[in-house]
Amino acid sequence: MSQRISISLSNIAIILGLVLSLVLVWQIRSLLVVLMISVVLAASIAPLVNLLEKWRFPRWLGVVVSYLSIIGVLTGVMLIIGPTVFEQIERLLRQLPVFADTIVKRVETWAMNLNDTSAKLFADLFDAQALTSWLFRSSQQLVLRSYGITRGIVGAVVSVVLALFISGYMVADSRTLIRSFVQLFPTPWNDRLAAQASVVSHRMGGYIRGRLLVSGILGLAITTGLRFLGLADFSLALGAIAGVTNLIPFLGPILGSIPALIVAVSQGWWTFLWVLLLFVIIQNIETYLLDPLLVGSSVGVHPLYQLLAVLGGVQILGIIGALIVPPWFAGAAALVENLYLRPKLAAEGKLRGEALATISPAENTEEGVKYEV
């Protein structure tokens, strides 16, 4: 009887411990997000720091030089194109209601050319004001979900600075941090995990670097294409929007094409078709050429799992989750692959080889081998 009470008390203690752990995680969720961002940033700049270390730079100095170089490049780009981009985005937002009215009138004219029934059906089903309001509400909720994680603009700035500082410290003292972390695990898992640190870092950092490079190429290509198609007044803003949203896998290209298509359809159906064709071509180039070349080799995850990681990240953390959850998923996939799947397949192959070795030479005929296969 006393044994049953003891078991029940231990179970209660475990449940209470789990509940308290979940409450603690929820309370420090902002810090956990900062740590997740820091790990991704650290993995992204690690190759540059390693290269500087080979050139006899101390690691801490390599981190400083790497971040100053990146910040300098971003600042230069913003000074060159930033004012134009923001000015075009501001004009785009001001003219959005005009674009919506123009689209409605064009579609109504197109429906009336078919028959009166189609025009009435369109008027009953399509409400431009309601659709615009829904788009704004959905975007606002997505932004507020990310905004709530960082607890305001000041919190977002502090979180970015903190993430940069923590990621720099991680890279500068990575060997000590990894060694102290893997010591928490029993032998031989400590050595196995230590051996996977560079693999996980390569997967996570390669994913971010690849996405940034692909997004930059697509933003430039879309800006050039839209300027050529007669949308020069908004080409730089629309290209920048498409480039930024393209950082989000799968969903990003679709989100980035919507503003350009809205502007295009207000200019006429032919412009709309040409812009749509431009995005289809660029999307196919990304899917079948740029992603496999610059991103796919570093991720090693099936596209369906990548999509689920993006959707899960959006549901939990908003836009921030769509950016940082996929590289974490790629790193976790590397651990599962190297610590579980490959040893499992190797063990199965070894057992299969031992089973074949027990077959006598008389039994190991060509027919027998075919049967075994």
Side-chain angles (χ1 to χ4, degrees), residues 1-65:
M1 184 69 177
S2 59
Q3 184 177 1
R4 292 182 180 177
I5 295 175
S6 176
I7 293 174
S8 299
L9 289 176
S10 66
N11 291 337
I12 292 173
I14 292 173
I15 294 173
L16 288 177
L18 290 174
V19 172
L20 291 176
S21 299
L22 292 174
V23 172
L24 178 62
V25 168
W26 178 255
Q27 291 296 323
I28 63 171
R29 62 189 185 279
S30 299
L31 178 59
L32 293 178
V33 172
V34 171
L35 288 176
M36 291 176 67
I37 297 174
S38 301
V39 172
V40 173
L41 291 176
S44 301
I45 69 166
L48 181 56
V49 176
N50 294 335
L51 179 62
L52 292 174
E53 188 179 25
K54 291 181 181 179
W55 293 348
R56 305 299 177 86
F57 279 73
R59 285 192 71 83
W60 68 267
L61 184 58
V63 171
V64 173
V65 171

Side-chain angles (χ1 to χ4, degrees), residues 48 55 130 148 213 230 260 325 328 347 363:
L48 181 56
W55 293 348
L213 186 56
V325 170
W328 271 87
E363 294 174 308

Side-chain angles (χ1 to χ4, degrees), residues 319-339:
I319 298 175
I320 298 175
L323 296 175
I324 66 172
V325 170
W328 271 87
F329 191 85
L335 288 178
V336 173
E337 178 184 347
N338 294 329
L339 296 181

Side-chain angles (χ1 to χ4, degrees), residues 126-148:
F126 189 85
D127 187 347
Q129 185 176 2
L131 180 59
T132 304
S133 300
W134 177 81
L135 288 173
F136 273 114
R137 285 197 308 270
S138 300
S139 303
Q140 186 180 25
Q141 290 175 0
L142 192 61
V143 172
L144 287 177
R145 186 171 297 172
S146 304
Y147 183 81

Side-chain angles (χ1 to χ4, degrees), residues 47-99:
L48 181 56
V49 176
N50 294 335
L51 179 62
L52 292 174
E53 188 179 25
K54 291 181 181 179
W55 293 348
R56 305 299 177 86
F57 279 73
R59 285 192 71 83
W60 68 267
L61 184 58
V63 171
V64 173
V65 171
S66 299
Y67 271 133
L68 287 180
S69 301
I70 294 171
I71 293 173
V73 171
L74 293 177
T75 303
V77 171
M78 289 300 298
L79 290 176
I80 294 172
I81 67 171
T84 305
V85 170
F86 290 124
E87 188 269 334
Q88 289 186 5
I89 290 177
E90 184 180 359
R91 281 196 290 118
L92 182 63
L93 293 176
R94 286 201 310 265
Q95 297 187 30
L96 191 59
V98 178
F99 291 149

Side-chain angles (χ1 to χ4, degrees), residues 215-276:
S215 297
I217 294 173
L218 263 62
L220 181 61
I222 290 171
T223 299
T224 305
L226 293 177
R227 181 178 292 273
F228 178 77
L229 293 175
L231 301 181
D233 291 341
F234 303 103
S235 60
L236 197 57
L238 295 174
I241 292 172
V244 172
T245 58
N246 195 75
L247 292 172
I248 304 174
F250 303 102
L251 304 179
I254 298 174
L255 296 175
S257 66
I258 292 175
L261 293 175
I262 290 175
V263 176
V265 75
S266 66
Q267 305 295 320
W269 290 113
W270 281 110
T271 304
F272 172 81
L273 291 176
W274 283 114
V275 171
L276 179 62

